[in-house]
Amino acid sequence: MPLLARELLNVGMSPDALPSAALVALTGVHLSFGGGGNGELKVLDGIDLVIPRGEFLAVLGPSGCGKSTLLRLVAGLLSPTAGSISWSEGLIERRPSRMAMNFQKPVLLPWLSLEQNALLPFNLAKSEFDKGMAEAKERLERLLQLTGLEPFRHYLPHELSGGMQMRAALVRTLIVQPDLVLMDEPFAAIDELTREGLGRDFRSIVARSDAGTIFVTHSIHEAAFLADRVVILSPRPSRILADLAVPLPGGERDISQRRNDVYLDFCDSLREIIANG
Amino acid sequence: MADSRQDLLKGFSLGLRTGAATVTNIALAVAFIVALWWSIVAIFSLPTFLLPSPAEVALAFFHRPAFFLQHAQVTAYHAALGFIIGNSLGVALAIVLYRFTRIRTLTMPVLISFQAIPIVALAPILIVWFGTGMASKVVMASILCFFPIVINTLQAFSSIDRDYAELFDFYRANYAQKLKLLLFPASFTSIVAAMQISAGLAVVGTIVAELTGSDRGLGHVLLNTSFRFEIPSMFVAMVLSALLGIVFFNMPRVLRYVIPRSWKLGLV
Ligand SMILES: Nc1ncnc2c1ncn2[C@@H]1O[C@H](COP(=O)(O)OP(=O)(O)OP(=O)(O)O)[C@@H](O)[C@H]1O
Ligand SMILES: [Mg+2]
């Protein structure tokens, strides 16, 4: 078990009680997809993980190892086959406002404009948001500027490019101010430069709040540059291969740090762990 | 919003244009059939009691147009009522069944196999139960409309990408929100297609019930004229039935231009 998890999950504590600093704790989580003709598929094989408040956690792992599945479990959309997950108070009950999830696909509704899609969380869960629509509209403007989508706000999803659709989904995700942000390869369809810029902006947005983040990515450099901590998963059935703190300062980061030797060495060691599986 | 008004206007003019195109196509097809019909009668010099010429049929109609139109109106009215009732009940049942997965998996096979029953065979017993008046016609039409709508609506709901259902689950959307923002917009095209089928079936059901027992409607005229061997009048009733069927079949398409343009795109 990683050190942090051991510290936070004191022996003798009931699995439902969570230390105040933690948002979510997974204890010995197994997940299999079952039965349906193809036999049982073991995906997660004993995952122990704690996500504290204010931490940016990146998850690396080969395609098909269960990263999206892990996010679904944390979001409460799936239940583990064995093991347990506990969430901080209200995280699941008030999910629309307390959690945000950026799915691997954009999942925009084709009959709503970009702007209407971005405001979907507010329209679906009005009672969850105290300050309501006025504040959402304000945030919407800032996020549209940030993602460069302002001129396209009235476009329908099929009139946007693939990368623009992913950015639109990003606006929908960040329009709420959650305690926990789950990101499933949000920048996969976006060009290198835009991707760097969006990553930096995203990090500074969550760094300013007290939110915890789980960020799934295939890019070692992105993981190391954005995160405070990196978890590497093995191929399916997956276990945690490594759980490492990133040797870069917290808070906002700027691109120049990407030329830093400490950073580059860290990327190399991540690559080595992945390669040796 | 200005945008959606513009969309609606665009949709409306598009509707008028495609509507006009449909009417032109149908008119051309009708002209072709009439020409073919006329030449068959002329070439084989068929007697009126086998196949009257279009002119004889037209004459029979203009001899007493009010009579025919009144009966056509009765049939149209009953078919429309049956269509509305059958579709409303059908969509309502689909909404309930989709909500309760257990009941749906139990009833779906039954519903699908019901489609194979020649429901028009129920006509005699419907006349016994509901009499020779309006009720038996409306019930027959509703039953015929009902099954295609339930089945197609349910299939359309079920074929929506799992990711969208997950998105709505994530936001803890309730069923009403899911229906309004996801299920109906995504299924709109299939539901309109099913409504076209069931609108045609509503006319079939009404006429079959009229043929079985009634004192009004095109089915009644068909039966009476055949008894009296008034072949041209019988053809008038047949032609009017066909026209009614075509009009009904095309009616649900109007919905496509009333409902916002973007709905029609469906899920990609
Ligand atoms: N709903 C499901 N039913 C059955 N099997 C599933 C389901 N969802 C995922 N799987 C299986 O679980 C495994 C892990 O899938 P998952 O989507 O979590 O992978 P991933 O790590 O996100 O991969 P990628 O990097 O390609 O997105 C895969 O083998 C997949 O086939
Ligand atoms: Mg994935």
Side-chain angles (χ1 to χ4, degrees), chain B residues 108-127:
Chain B
M108 256 314 251
V110 181
L111 283 172
I112 288 175
S113 56
F114 268 26
Q115 268 199 315
I117 301 177
I119 294 168
V120 289
L122 292 179
I125 195 67
L126 290 183
I127 302 288

Side-chain angles (χ1 to χ4, degrees), chain B residues 161-175:
Chain B
D161 198 343
R162 203 177 54 100
D163 296 339
Y164 286 88
E166 200 167 49
L167 179 78
F168 276 68
D169 287 345
F170 183 83
Y171 292 121
R172 296 191 173 286
N174 59 38
Y175 192 44

Side-chain angles (χ1 to χ4, degrees), chain A residues 28-46:
Chain A
V29 166
H30 290 257
L31 188 109
S32 305
F33 287 109
N38 299 325
E40 197 190 39
L41 186 75
K42 265 193 172 180
V43 178
L44 299 179
D45 188 27

Side-chain angles (χ1 to χ4, degrees), chain B:
Chain B
M1 215 191 282
D3 262 19
S4 59
R5 259 231 331 265
Q6 228 171 35
D7 267 8
L8 215 61
L9 281 179
K10 242 191 275 172
F12 189 66
S13 68
L14 186 75
L16 282 184
R17 257 181 293 138
T18 41
T22 307
V23 170
T24 322
N25 287 343
I26 292 176
L28 279 175
V30 168
F32 176 74
I33 291 170
V34 169
L36 190 69
W37 172 6
W38 213 322
S39 35
I40 289 174
V41 173
I43 293 168
F44 300 102
S45 43
L46 294 171
T48 301
F49 68 85
L50 275 188
L51 184 63
S53 74
E56 285 169 310
V57 174
L59 212 64
F61 174 74
F62 286 111
H63 184 56
R64 41 176 186 169
F67 166 82
F68 285 112
L69 290 180
Q70 258 164 24
H71 284 286
Q73 199 187 337
V74 169
T75 302
Y77 176 54
H78 292 170
L81 270 183
F83 174 80
I84 290 168
I85 294 173
N87 278 275
S88 313
L89 292 178
V91 170
L93 183 67
I95 289 173
V96 172
L97 287 184
Y98 187 73
R99 177 76 181 75
F100 301 104
T101 320
R102 282 287 293 281
I103 311 179
R104 176 177 34 151
T105 43
L106 286 176
T107 47
M108 256 314 251
V110 181
L111 283 172
I112 288 175
S113 56
F114 268 26
Q115 268 199 315
I117 301 177
I119 294 168
V120 289
L122 292 179
I125 195 67
L126 290 183
I127 302 288
V128 173
W129 288 344
F130 299 101
T132 54
M134 171 168 132
S136 54
K137 319 297 172 296
V138 175
V139 170
M140 182 84 257
S142 322
I143 299 178
L144 277 183
C145 286
F146 181 74
F147 291 101
I149 277 297
V150 180
I151 291 164
N152 284 292
T153 306
L154 269 179
Q155 273 169 354
F157 283 1
S158 314
S159 64
I160 294 170
D161 198 343
R162 203 177 54 100
D163 296 339
Y164 286 88
E166 200 167 49
L167 179 78
F168 276 68
D169 287 345
F170 183 83
Y171 292 121
R172 296 191 173 286
N174 59 38
Y175 192 44
Q177 292 173 320
K178 230 171 164 172
L179 283 169
K180 180 178 159 232
L181 284 165
L182 180 65
L183 298 175
F184 275 120
S187 315
F188 181 67
T189 313
S190 327
I191 293 178
V192 169
M195 279 185 172
Q196 287 192 280
I197 309 265
S198 80
L201 287 174
V203 177
V204 172
T206 309
I207 291 177
V208 168
E210 285 169 355
L211 283 170
T212 315
S214 72
D215 52 7
R216 287 183 301 161
L218 288 176
H220 165 76
V221 176
L222 275 170
L223 210 58
N224 259 13
T225 49
S226 79
F227 286 156
R228 296 203 209 111
F229 231 65
E230 296 170 6
I231 304 299
S233 292
M234 195 176 137
F235 267 79
V236 174
M238 280 163 55
V239 169
L240 286 176
S241 308
L243 289 178
L244 205 60
I246 293 173
V247 169
F248 264 66
F249 182 79
N250 283 292
M251 217 93 101
R253 299 214 324 200
V254 173
L255 283 177
R256 296 190 185 201
Y257 307 107
V258 176
I259 307 245
R261 185 173 59 114
S262 44
W263 272 34
K264 282 174 289 170
L265 298 167
L267 284 173
V268 249

Side-chain angles (χ1 to χ4, degrees), chain A:
Chain A
M1 202 188 278
L3 185 70
L4 193 56
R6 211 180 305 137
E7 268 171 24
L8 288 168
L9 290 174
N10 282 321
V11 186
M13 188 184 284
S14 83
D16 291 311
L18 207 61
S20 63
L23 287 165
V24 188
L26 288 77
T27 321
V29 166
H30 290 257
L31 188 109
S32 305
F33 287 109
N38 299 325
E40 197 190 39
L41 186 75
K42 265 193 172 180
V43 178
L44 299 179
D45 188 27
I47 302 283
D48 295 297
L49 194 64
V50 175
I51 296 96
R53 229 167 260 284
E55 189 182 67
F56 196 126
L57 171 74
V59 176
L60 285 169
S63 177
C65 75
K67 302 181 296 298
S68 299
T69 305
L70 181 69
L71 288 190
R72 288 199 170 90
L73 282 163
V74 171
L77 293 168
L78 272 180
S79 308
T81 316
S84 71
I85 306 178
S86 35
W87 290 270
S88 76
E89 167 105 30
L91 207 55
I92 286 291
E93 295 75 17
R94 306 192 56 198
R95 186 166 59 201
S97 61
R98 302 282 297 275
M99 245 195 236
M101 182 153 179
N102 206 77
F103 292 86
Q104 191 165 2
K105 291 189 218 157
V107 222
L108 302 169
L109 298 179
W111 36 90
L112 300 183
S113 68
L114 193 166
E115 180 178 317
Q116 291 167 323
N117 264 297
L119 292 170
L120 189 71
F122 286 84
N123 282 321
L124 286 179
K126 284 200 181 73
S127 59
E128 282 294 316
F129 298 95
D130 321 324
K131 296 192 189 131
M133 223 37 162
E135 204 206 344
K137 292 249 162 81
E138 220 173 275
R139 270 182 89 73
L140 175 71
E141 297 310 321
R142 281 198 292 134
L143 287 167
L144 287 176
Q145 293 294 342
L146 197 77
T147 50
L149 289 174
E150 215 290 316
F152 304 97
R153 59 192 306 157
H154 297 304
Y155 279 46
L156 290 170
H158 79 280
E159 296 164 326
L160 303 172
S161 75
M164 287 160 86
Q165 292 179 12
M166 277 319 289
R167 281 183 273 156
L170 192 67
V171 176
R172 181 183 61 199
T173 305
L174 296 180
I175 202 159
V176 300
Q177 284 177 289
D179 294 342
L180 180 63
V181 192
L182 307 176
M183 307 287 282
D184 201 346
E185 299 184 41
F187 307 142
I190 298 169
D191 68 275
E192 188 87 24
L193 276 180
T194 313
R195 184 175 179 148
E196 272 178 10
L198 278 177
R200 189 196 48 215
D201 294 340
F202 173 67
R203 180 173 162 101
S204 79
I205 289 175
V206 291
R208 261 180 267 142
S209 73
D210 195 25
T213 305
I214 306 182
F215 190 100
V216 170
T217 173
H218 280 294
S219 160
I220 292 172
H221 287 90
E222 189 171 69
F225 178 64
L226 292 181
D228 302 315
R229 181 177 150 212
V230 178
V231 160
I232 300 175
L233 296 180
S234 71
R236 191 177 52 77
S238 81
R239 329 182 101 265
I240 293 183
L241 278 183
D243 186 337
L244 307 163
V246 177
L248 288 180
E252 298 191 20
R253 288 182 187 160
D254 72 80
I255 307 280
S256 67
Q257 277 159 324
R258 290 196 126 172
R259 286 189 292 273
N260 188 327
D261 280 341
V262 182
Y263 165 78
L264 292 172
D265 288 348
F266 182 65
C267 287
D268 283 342
S269 59
L270 290 179
R271 182 183 306 277
E272 209 159 301
I273 296 170
I274 295 171
N276 298 333

